[in-house]
Amino acid sequence: MKFNIGCHLSVSGGYEKMGKTALSIGATTFQFFTRNPRGGSYKYPTDEDIGALNSILEANDFAPIIAHAPYTLNPCGADESLRDYTKEVMSSDICLLEKVRNAYYNFHPGCHVSQGVETGIQKTADTINHISKNAEKTIILIETMAGKGSEIGKTFEEIREIIDRCHKKQVVGVCLDTCHVHDGGYDIAADPDKVLTEFDRVIGLDKLKAIHLNDSKNPLSAHKDRHEKIGDGCLGIDGITRIITHPVIASLPICLETPNELDGYAREISLLKEIFNSK
Ligand code: FE
Ligand code: FE
Ligand code: ZN
């Protein structure tokens, strides 16, 4: 089995540049924000740039890569015009990703604020139903959340509820973030198999498409969402080892979102490959 690991990269130098950077640190997947998360002008990549990235992905047998929607969007927000804007941005992101060799589009299901979980779930599903019209091969991933504030998607049951209301289920999947599920109360560091069994029971493992691999600054069930470097947090190196050597997880694209610059990511990638290969 090929172990596919990578990290979050900056999109600012273009698409081909991300492919080259990934190669330089031994990654065979990576993640990037489709737009600058702090707003500002957005430069749409040229077809030539996307084609150059596709050649790199193809030639080096990359696993699917993950495009992350801007986290400032709220797919279940109360304001209808803001939700329309969110749908517009996400739809155009998906049109762009349809040109990428093998891409997942990961997003945060959003915060219901004071609308209640049920309304949040319904509005997020509505947003997916709108944007999935443009998805032919791009898989839309709902990210598991830590349950900070009024975030929805903090339990497998809530994610299952969202998926149940999606019309085009074949293009909808889940990205499991290890920091988020730990903060949400699932003890993935102690017993990944138990958490995956629960995931399978509630959602179905066929929906699990990608992993965000992060340690957490906070204890189990903290509902905080503060990522830590691999081995320096509450999951610990033993917990991380148990997670990445689980056969279900090891078969998926794994992306680091730890607080690192590129050199730190490179070190974590080689450490994790070493751990995986020694088991
Ligand atoms: Fe995220
Ligand atoms: Fe994440
Ligand atoms: Zn997070």
Side-chain angles (χ1 to χ4, degrees):
M1 189 199 327
K2 189 159 151 284
F3 184 61
N4 291 296
I5 186 153
C7 63
H8 191 90
L9 296 175
S10 166
V11 71
S12 60
Y15 277 38
E16 181 184 20
K17 170 90 183 301
M18 291 190 290
K20 287 181 171 166
T21 303
L23 279 181
S24 76
I25 56 171
T28 49
T29 182
F30 61 87
Q31 175 175 272
F32 62 100
F33 284 122
T34 52
R35 292 148 202 260
N36 185 339
R38 281 172 199 85
S41 66
Y42 170 62
K43 223 170 107 255
Y44 210 77
T46 61
D47 283 350
E48 188 191 0
D49 190 25
I50 298 173
L53 170 65
N54 285 342
S55 305
I56 292 173
L57 300 178
E58 175 89 53
N60 297 279
D61 192 26
F62 269 56
I65 60 170
I66 306 171
H68 197 307
Y71 53 75
T72 46
L73 302 175
N74 188 359
C76 66
D79 185 307
E80 200 185 334
S81 65
L82 275 179
R83 234 172 36 252
D84 285 345
Y85 171 74
T86 294
K87 289 176 186 170
E88 208 179 284
V89 167
M90 293 179 80
S91 292
S92 77
D93 279 353
I94 287 175
C95 288
L96 173 67
L97 293 170
E98 285 288 309
K99 301 181 197 170
V100 175
R101 175 179 173 257
N102 212 344
Y104 292 153
Y105 187 50
N106 176 79
F107 78 105
H108 295 178
C111 292
H112 68 73
V113 189
S114 54
Q115 304 172 90
V117 173
E118 163 60 28
T119 302
I121 285 170
Q122 187 56 49
K123 286 184 175 164
T124 296
D126 289 347
T127 297
I128 296 174
N129 285 331
H130 181 90
I131 66 172
S132 63
K133 287 176 202 152
N134 292 333
E136 292 303 326
K137 63 187 186 70
T138 305
I139 307 285
I140 299 163
L141 301 184
I142 303 166
E143 182 167 353
T144 61
M145 301 310 292
K148 191 176 59 176
S150 64
E151 278 174 350
I152 61 165
K154 62 188 178 296
T155 64
F156 297 158
E157 283 78 6
E158 289 181 9
I159 290 177
R160 160 73 193 266
E161 275 289 313
I162 296 168
I163 296 173
D164 275 348
R165 299 174 198 200
C166 291
H167 304 147
K168 206 169 163 185
K169 292 188 176 57
Q170 70 272 24
V171 295
V172 179
V174 178
C175 174
L176 186 149
D177 184 308
T178 59
C179 167
H180 297 176
V181 295
H182 159 92
D183 281 26
Y186 295 95
D187 201 352
I188 191 153
D191 195 345
D193 194 64
K194 187 176 167 201
V195 174
L196 290 168
T197 301
E198 179 67 3
F199 187 103
D200 193 34
R201 185 185 68 81
V202 178
I203 302 173
L205 277 179
D206 59 315
K207 285 290 175 205
L208 183 58
K209 303 294 184 193
I211 303 293
H212 282 166
L213 187 69
N214 303 303
D215 212 324
S216 173
K217 284 193 196 294
N218 292 289
L220 189 69
S221 309
H223 303 295
K224 293 272 202 226
D225 188 4
R226 295 205 50 211
H227 302 189
E228 183 52 283
K229 292 190 171 78
I230 295 301
D232 287 356
C234 292
L235 276 68
I237 198 67
D238 292 342
I240 295 284
T241 299
R242 280 188 286 274
I243 292 167
I244 62 161
T245 53
H246 190 287
V248 169
I249 289 175
S251 70
L252 297 169
I254 300 174
C255 258
L256 296 161
E257 301 175 305
T258 44
N260 276 305
E261 301 297 328
L262 195 62
D263 57 340
Y265 277 135
R267 280 195 299 275
E268 288 188 347
I269 288 169
S270 72
L271 168 71
L272 292 161
K273 282 183 175 177
E274 209 174 285
I275 292 172
F276 178 79
N277 290 325
S278 70
K279 291 284 165 179

